[in-house]
Amino acid sequence: MQNLFSIMPEFLRDPDAFFHSIQRDENVKSKALSLGLVSLFSFMVYGFMVGLAKSPLQALSSSVKVPVLFLSTMLFCLPALYFFSLALLGTPLKMMQVLTVVLSGISVTAFLLLGLSPITLFFVLTSGNYEFFQLLAVVFVGISACIGMYFLWRGMTLVEPTRTDALNVLGKRILFLWVLVYGFVGTQ
């Protein structure tokens, strides 16, 4: 398992090398575990900060709910991406490779939210306007999720082998529909 404090900076400095190593099936399980733990920790910290706006008890509750929301949504939606890619494209990728790419996008989201946690804490401590704080939290999650989805998209298009134009277009449509399903399930 890679060092939890170095995997995200290394990934963000050279995502193409990371994705190509996943394509070659190098240490995929270790990378998936590291990315999962980074996501869990980062979402817990951000959830704690958001929950502090209400109470310490809500902070503890939110530190559990935020990672459960993001990671369980991924677990519910991941089979659809893999099975449709397998059935329609005949993808040579293993489920663990697809999981690792998806976790990379989710980890970027979580890592960015971890970086925004001090700003969130600042507004928890200085602002009495709860509606403003809610809007700020939604904006932070929205921006971070969009950047995370960019990395997921980039990873899937790099890891999935080059195909004919028709299959390439179909693959991008499957990925786009999966991102929509993931977003829809996550908002539930």
Side-chain angles (χ1 to χ4, degrees):
M1 183 171 65
Q2 290 185 302
N3 183 339
L4 292 181
F5 298 107
S6 66
I7 190 168
M8 287 311 297
E10 288 174 13
F11 166 71
L12 291 170
R13 284 186 189 107
D14 194 0
D16 290 356
F18 183 87
F19 291 130
H20 287 301
S21 74
I22 291 171
Q23 185 181 40
R24 291 186 304 269
D25 205 11
E26 297 172 352
N27 300 321
V28 173
K29 288 181 183 178
S30 173
K31 289 174 182 164
L33 180 61
S34 295
L35 291 170
L37 291 173
V38 164
S39 297
L40 181 67
F41 173 76
S42 299
F43 284 136
M44 286 180 77
V45 170
Y46 185 73
F48 187 84
M49 295 302 166
V50 169
L52 275 176
K54 279 286 190 185
S55 70
L57 189 56
Q58 181 64 44
L60 290 175
S61 174
S62 294
S63 71
V64 172
K65 288 193 301 187
V66 170
V68 166
L69 167 73
F70 278 92
L71 297 175
S72 66
T73 299
M74 178 207 56
L75 290 175
F76 284 119
C77 295
L78 182 66
L81 175 63
Y82 182 70
F83 295 151
F84 274 88
S85 294
L86 190 60
L88 297 174
L89 302 174
T91 183
L93 300 176
K94 298 174 188 166
M95 176 68 105
M96 186 57 72
Q97 289 170 296
V98 175
L99 170 67
T100 306
V101 173
V102 171
L103 273 171
S104 70
I106 291 171
S107 296
V108 168
T109 301
F111 192 68
L112 293 174
L113 288 173
L114 179 65
L116 292 168
S117 292
I119 297 169
T120 303
L121 180 62
F122 173 78
F123 282 105
V124 165
L125 298 174
T126 61
S127 176
N129 187 341
Y130 187 69
E131 291 76 21
F132 166 76
F133 181 75
Q134 284 180 312
L135 179 63
L136 182 72
V138 167
V139 167
F140 283 176
V141 170
I143 291 170
S144 298
C146 286
I147 295 169
M149 287 299 110
Y150 163 76
F151 277 93
L152 187 151
W153 186 275
R154 181 176 173 181
M156 285 305 291
T157 55
L158 282 173
V159 171
E160 187 66 32
T162 306
R163 302 184 180 279
T164 64
D165 288 341
L167 285 180
N168 192 19
V169 169
L170 179 60
K172 288 183 180 182
R173 286 182 180 159
I174 291 170
L175 183 57
F176 177 74
L177 289 173
W178 184 85
V179 167
L180 290 178
V181 167
Y182 179 78
F184 180 71
V185 171
T187 60
Q188 297 303 307

